[in-house]
Amino acid sequence: MKTAVVVFPGSNCDRDVQRAVTETLQTQVDMVWHENTKFADDTDLVILPGGFSYGDYLRSGAMAARSPIMDAVKKHAAEGKLLLGICNGFQTLTEAHLLPGALIANTSLTFICKRSYLRVEQTDNMFTSSFKVGDIVQYPIAHHEGLFFLPPDELKELEDAKQVVFRYADPQTGDAGAKYAPNGALNGIAGICNERGNILGLMPHPERSTFGHLNGGSGGDKFWKSIEKAFNERGAL
């Protein structure tokens, strides 16, 4: 499985993601500058990393969503290939209308950098195949605009379609929902996928929980291996 990580001006998690994927999956990772207009033909997974693309001017992810590389990103996703957006990458996916909703300012109106606990809500996609529904993982968050928002009718449609993949949770009880969301995300939503299951947006950072000796995180390595497992079993959707 070949991976490409898109690098925007202001990306700061691109090398973290590169290392996590390279060392976990023992696979090639191309670093693709945002001004490029295509990926290598054999690219299977494209990742939009965290950071502050274009300094978060206008809105977080708004300018990145209009970068030259995004036409290739949309084509890649339309072909059923894997597309992952983490933090700023999730914001970019919503701004590009590749995922529904918006990421708006945390209810605290402050930047939050801390550990967060997530409950796996769905495994019928290309990103959580090695997990069980109800599993708890710890991925850190680092964002100012992480509150997932949708109007009520659209939020119900998202929930009914079972597109919520991760929800903020209590690690002791396993309960999940809005009361456990440090950013105020509606329904405690931390990550969603598209109906096809080949696009995932996730606010917390699995790459920062890949090597436990660095931050005591958990579940990052399993996340990457889930992608590899689903790819090997099902290939492109």
Side-chain angles (χ1 to χ4, degrees):
M1 185 176 69
K2 185 173 180 180
T3 301
V5 176
V6 179
V7 183
F8 299 98
S11 295
N12 65 12
C13 298
D14 45 313
R15 298 295 171 179
D16 297 19
V17 168
Q18 179 191 33
R19 183 189 172 205
V21 173
T22 299
E23 296 192 19
T24 303
L25 303 185
Q26 302 297 307
T27 186
Q28 179 180 342
V29 178
D30 291 339
M31 307 303 285
V32 180
W33 185 236
H34 74 113
E35 291 182 337
N36 290 358
T37 57
K38 62 181 181 179
F39 301 107
D41 291 339
D42 55 349
T43 300
D44 304 300
L45 167 64
V46 170
I47 302 175
L48 308 184
F52 303 92
S53 57
Y54 295 90
D56 279 350
Y57 292 121
L58 186 58
R59 290 183 309 277
S60 298
M63 295 180 70
R66 290 154 181 81
S67 285
I69 193 62
M70 289 305 293
D71 284 341
V73 170
K74 292 176 180 178
K75 179 176 182 292
H76 177 90
E79 291 173 351
K81 297 181 179 180
L82 294 162
L83 174 59
L84 169 64
I86 302 171
C87 197
N88 191 229
F90 187 7
Q91 294 162 344
T92 302
L93 290 177
T94 61
E95 288 284 347
H97 304 296
L98 288 167
L99 286 176
L103 283 307
I104 62 176
N106 304 334
T107 50
S108 65
L109 301 182
T110 61
F111 182 85
I112 302 174
C113 182
K114 61 183 294 185
R115 295 181 181 183
S116 69
Y117 295 89
L118 315 176
R119 189 176 72 187
V120 177
E121 299 291 282
Q122 298 294 335
T123 57
D124 189 19
N125 58 74
M126 294 288 284
F127 299 91
T128 53
S129 63
S130 294
F131 293 96
K132 301 187 299 294
V133 171
D135 280 352
I136 301 293
V137 297
Q138 184 265 296
Y139 301 158
I141 57 171
H143 55 247
H144 186 280
E145 291 83 21
L147 192 165
F148 182 80
F149 176 84
L150 265 178
D153 290 348
E154 295 177 44
L155 183 62
K156 184 179 185 303
E157 290 176 6
L158 184 80
E159 294 279 8
D160 289 347
K162 301 187 182 304
Q163 289 174 239
V164 177
V165 180
F166 290 98
R167 214 182 296 272
Y168 295 105
D170 183 318
Q172 304 302 320
T173 66
D175 294 337
K179 65 184 291 186
Y180 304 108
N183 49 29
L186 298 187
N187 292 7
I189 293 172
I192 65 170
C193 67
N194 63 334
E195 290 186 8
R196 198 174 185 182
N198 66 307
I199 305 175
L200 176 72
L202 179 62
M203 281 310 295
H205 292 263
E207 76 278 14
R208 296 184 183 178
S209 285
T210 300
F211 307 104
H213 62 283
L214 294 180
N215 63 8
S218 64
D221 55 342
K222 192 172 183 178
F223 176 79
W224 304 113
K225 289 185 181 297
S226 287
I227 297 173
E228 181 182 54
K229 177 176 179 286
F231 177 79
N232 290 336
E233 289 180 351
R234 297 156 62 180
L237 293 179

